[in-house]
Amino acid sequence: MRNVVKTDNTKTDKVITKKAAPDYEEIYQGRFDKHYDELKWLYMELYDNSSMFEELCDRLKLFYDQRGDALKRQDDAREAQPDWYKQNDMLGMMFYIDNFAGNMKGVEQHLDYIEKCNVNYIHLMPFLDTTEGKSDGGYAVSDFRKVQEKLGTMEDLEKLTAACHKKGINVCMDFVMNHTSEDHQWAKRARAGEKEYMDRYFFYDSFDIPSIYEQTVPQVFPTTAPGNFTWLPDAGRFVMTTFYPYQWDLNYRNPRVFNEMMYNFLYLANRGIDIIRIDAVPYIWKELRTSCRNLPQVHTIVRLMRMIGEIVCPGILLLGEVVMEPEKVVPYFGTVEKPECHMLYNVTTMATTWHTVATRDVRLLKKQLDIVSGLPKEYVFLNYLRCHDDIGWGLDYGTLWQYGMGERPHKEYLNNYFQGYAGNSNSRGELYNSDPVTGDARFCATTASMCGIEKAETEEDPEALQRAIRFDVMLHAYMFMQSGIPVLYSGDEIGQTNDYSYKDDPNKAADSRYIHRGKMDWKAAAAADDPSTVAGGVFQSLDQLEKIRKSEKAFVSYAATWTIETWDQSVLGIGRYYQGEKIIGLFNFSEHDKTAWINETDGLYEDMLTGKKREARGVDIPAYSFYYLKKV
Ligand code: GLC
């Protein structure tokens, strides 16, 4: 109850009004009652086990009771303003804690830098306990309730999240729920033959059943970790390992697994996490003779998680990691009445962006952006140019076929292009999991290296360097123009290039994703205010764009958006409109000066970067440049 009571103040003898503490019991009960029927229905549908359901309900209340008051207040405020994360002020940055600042305390000390970057959402890459050398960048968790010693403790995490909240910064973490590390307590006991724990994974005495799975289940890491099963000689059994052999798939058919993982999720949420990134979510339900991806039960589980979150900690957001084609991604939003994830990665747009870079042809990107614009405005996408993972070429090959581009040769072209071998490319980077059977390969590099900054620096070509910086900034400007939450990979704000030192580390050498997960270059960052340096050039330009984005309502995630025909194949036009405010973005993806043959007849526009007034007609755009034009 948020009513106001009157209390006697004996000292002053005056009657003052004071806000009563909220009635948490009542608040909880309200949330629980709201979801109870559906929660029970879905749980029983999956597990048909009432005692496990009752256990779950009891534990939800315990986690709620343990949730700190400050977090509960934040939950209430967010519940009262459910659109809080759909505004134009959100900007994310992701980083590995050790690469960014050594440890959690170090991150806390660098919060001023994060603020300087206009960032109010940090994604702390996996930091839970893991075994060095068998960690997959932390995505093989051996204890969900322990922080890696080198990074700090759970207490440090709580301090960090509290310090972030004071500054209005949201904290995101990965919840790696598809698998545990083989060094997790459960895995160790399963390996030793304890049935109770074996039942939490997929164990097989022979390859009979695994071989049936192998007929329909694709491979995630065909070169670095082929196959979906691993033979354990000491246990004399096979175990399912969709990712690396040391990442054992959890069996969500077992309600014990579901319940325990939900307890882990709530335990972590109670440490002050705002955004839970559900790692590899499409994979969590396995069924023989299927692809074991995106099965209906996955959606039941995500819906259950959403309700559990809304009951215990409604201030948190679920970010689903669904790196797949659009028709597989969108269902993870659920429906308006029965939502699943709050946010999803705009992965196809990201991949299509780089295709556009390599072809200077915006047609496919325009089509992709039109698809996204046509989706309900409730959907919030996380937009990015690149993340900690490789870039997979998940493009609309049906459409590309009509443009005369076949899938296999085009993928080959893209990979050659970004390695710097084809198509007048300035990019530098490396292939990832190049599969000789399917001819598929993905690509790894930092944004700056893909834009030509690395090449220009090595070749000491100042003109090329300026062009590369301009290109890098243009791509960010275009990314900021999309609806949703833009997320930078730490280092991209200062144009950091590839880091090849991973090759010297035997634990990393086989995984080229480390090329774009280098240490933060604080020396370069120190020059962020000096536009004559690469770091400063990129930083200052992004700073200007980020401030524009934060101050203009037309950037809210629910604004109307559309693409504009520019009659030049290399120039992309995007419009945004919200409550009388209209903005047009024009982006030249080519190394040649171009003209956007647009003809907006509704009056004068202002160049938002220079403040100059002009008409939005036949706009000349220098190579790799852009315009943000606002209707005056
Ligand atoms: C996700 C992560 C990736 C990791 C995989 C396995 O796809 O983004 O880095 O390798 O899950 O957990």
Side-chain angles (χ1 to χ4, degrees), residues 96 125 136-137 139-140 174 176 178-179 220-221 243-244 247 277 279-280 283 321 323 387-389 432 511 513 517:
Y96 276 98
M125 295 298 290
D136 182 22
Y139 286 97
D174 289 85
V176 186
N178 176 68
H179 42 259
V220 180
F221 298 138
F243 292 84
Y244 281 111
Q247 289 165 311
R277 174 185 182 275
D279 182 61
Y283 301 77
E321 192 227 356
V323 181
C387 66
H388 67 295
D389 279 331
Y432 178 68
D511 194 330
R513 289 177 297 177
R517 298 175 180 171

